[in-house]
Amino acid sequence: DDEEVAHYLSQNTLWWAGTTGLDGIRQDTLPYVPRRFWRDWMAAIKREYPRLTVVGELLDGDPTLVSFYQGGAPRFDGIDTGIDTVFDFPLFYPLRRAFAEGKPIREVAQMLARDRLYERPGELVTLLGLHDVRRFMDEPGATVAGLKLAFTFLLTARGIPLVYYGDEIAMPGGVDPDNRRDFPGGWPGDPRSAFDAAGRTADEQSVFERVRALSRLRAELVALRRGATVNLLTQEQLYAFARTTPEDTVIVAFNNGGETAALDFAVDALALAEGQTIEDRLAGGHPAVVEGGRVRFSLPARSAAVYAPKR
């Protein structure tokens, strides 16, 4: 609120950017500061360093509130914060409930339906965990299977995924500071090193391999990085969506339930030809064929598939 302090803080930010050459800022607790300050602060940053990116933190599950701080348009107060993007905590909570606690996956789809509140939902930073919350594996009911499902969503859905260190090997951890415990290995005398496959347990290696496979798919398939989202099937514990670009289509499907399930949905809105074969690029499940404008396949309990046209 003090003009000289506000001016100093902007100058100090520019000094750090110029001195260190940093590429981005993770800005804590946006709502504790007047919005007009963020507008002026971001304008000062972008004048000097237009490619520097600011990710803002607002630890709240309400997309109405969180979207209020993503820049791109003036809101009811006439202020555009200019903040490049924010952490997607509204999606974080239904992801934890669905994949850790086994609650309905329908809640995930319902939250994505509120993307219209954001100026650029594709630039939201999505996450399963970070240093302010207990780890995924510390949630009631959390399992390795559930974590693998969660990572499958995180690395195929819209947004810019954040992977908190240690989650890729299913590290446990309660409230701070337990959620910031050391990663196993890296120093002389450590009893084991999870930096190497030989130092990981079977469960740790299973999650690590899933994250690696998904990361490779995301790098290979443009639609997983930049495609629009098209919902195909939404049920209590079944969810299928497509990521589409003019050149590419990928279908991602989940069975979050406890029994094998048959999925059957229309793909008329997708650029898939009648009779075209699509392959499960994630788990190597049975191929599916577009027949009568529909796709049909089965998924085992608590599993997922990533289908793309046959290569």
Side-chain angles (χ1 to χ4, degrees):
D1 282 322
D2 184 281
E3 185 177 345
E4 290 188 10
V5 172
H7 187 63
Y8 165 77
L9 291 171
S10 294
Q11 287 184 321
N12 186 251
T13 300
L14 296 176
W15 182 89
W16 277 107
T19 300
T20 66
L22 56 86
D23 298 304
I25 294 171
R26 185 264 190 207
Q27 182 56 52
D28 202 60
T29 54
L30 293 178
Y32 299 163
V33 175
R35 281 165 49 82
R36 64 182 179 275
F37 172 78
W38 297 129
R39 174 196 61 200
D40 298 342
W41 181 70
M42 285 300 303
I45 291 172
K46 293 298 185 179
R47 275 195 301 267
E48 296 292 332
Y49 304 103
R51 297 183 63 185
L52 190 149
T53 299
V54 174
V55 181
E57 186 247 20
L58 191 68
L59 211 166
D60 196 281
D62 185 350
T64 308
L65 179 59
V66 174
S67 64
F68 188 54
Y69 283 85
Q70 187 186 47
R75 296 304 179 111
F76 76 87
D77 57 0
I79 294 174
D80 177 352
T81 66
I83 301 289
D84 292 302
T85 193
V86 290
F87 291 104
D88 195 355
F89 276 105
L91 186 58
F92 161 84
Y93 290 106
L95 288 180
R96 283 284 187 102
R97 286 193 294 270
F99 296 125
E101 300 177 36
K103 296 295 196 307
I105 197 173
R106 184 193 299 272
E107 293 183 16
V108 175
Q110 289 170 333
M111 184 58 73
L112 286 174
R114 302 177 74 179
D115 274 1
R116 58 187 173 78
L117 295 170
Y118 299 96
E119 290 299 311
R120 298 175 306 284
E123 296 178 18
L124 294 170
V125 176
T126 52
L127 64 150
L128 300 179
L130 42 58
H131 65 281
D132 283 326
V133 296
R134 63 177 66 244
R135 286 188 179 269
F136 183 97
M137 293 303 293
D138 206 64
E139 290 282 3
T143 63
V144 166
L147 179 56
K148 290 163 72 173
L149 281 178
F151 267 124
T152 302
F153 181 88
L154 184 75
L155 292 166
T156 59
R158 64 97 178 108
I160 303 169
L162 176 153
V163 178
Y164 184 49
Y165 85 94
D167 283 353
E168 77 278 12
I169 61 165
M171 275 179 61
V175 297
D176 184 12
D178 191 39
N179 56 355
R180 310 184 193 199
R181 66 174 67 177
D182 288 349
F183 188 90
W187 302 98
D190 285 342
R192 72 180 181 106
S193 174
F195 288 100
D196 303 308
R200 301 182 196 120
T201 67
D203 282 346
E204 289 173 346
Q205 184 65 16
S206 175
V207 176
F208 183 88
E209 291 290 350
R210 172 61 64 92
V211 174
R212 180 160 62 178
L214 288 163
S215 298
R216 287 171 172 169
L217 278 179
R218 190 178 178 92
E220 177 187 345
L221 302 172
V222 175
L224 292 183
R225 302 193 306 275
R226 307 188 185 282
T229 300
V230 179
N231 282 335
L232 302 171
L233 174 70
T234 305
Q235 295 181 11
E236 194 76 355
Q237 290 293 21
L238 298 177
Y239 182 35
F241 62 87
R243 301 291 308 281
T244 66
T245 67
E247 301 81 23
D248 202 8
T249 296
V250 179
I251 294 174
V252 186
F254 296 86
N255 176 8
N256 196 45
E259 298 179 357
T260 297
L263 286 77
D264 181 343
F265 48 84
V267 292
D268 314 69
L270 308 180
L272 295 174
E274 183 70 13
Q276 188 168 9
T277 298
I278 55 176
E279 299 178 315
D280 180 5
R281 301 285 298 280
L282 177 63
H286 292 295
V289 179
V290 180
E291 295 179 329
R294 304 185 72 83
V295 164
R296 301 171 181 86
F297 55 87
S298 294
L299 283 178
R302 302 224 78 188
S303 69
V306 179
Y307 279 95
K310 187 175 182 179
R311 291 170 292 182

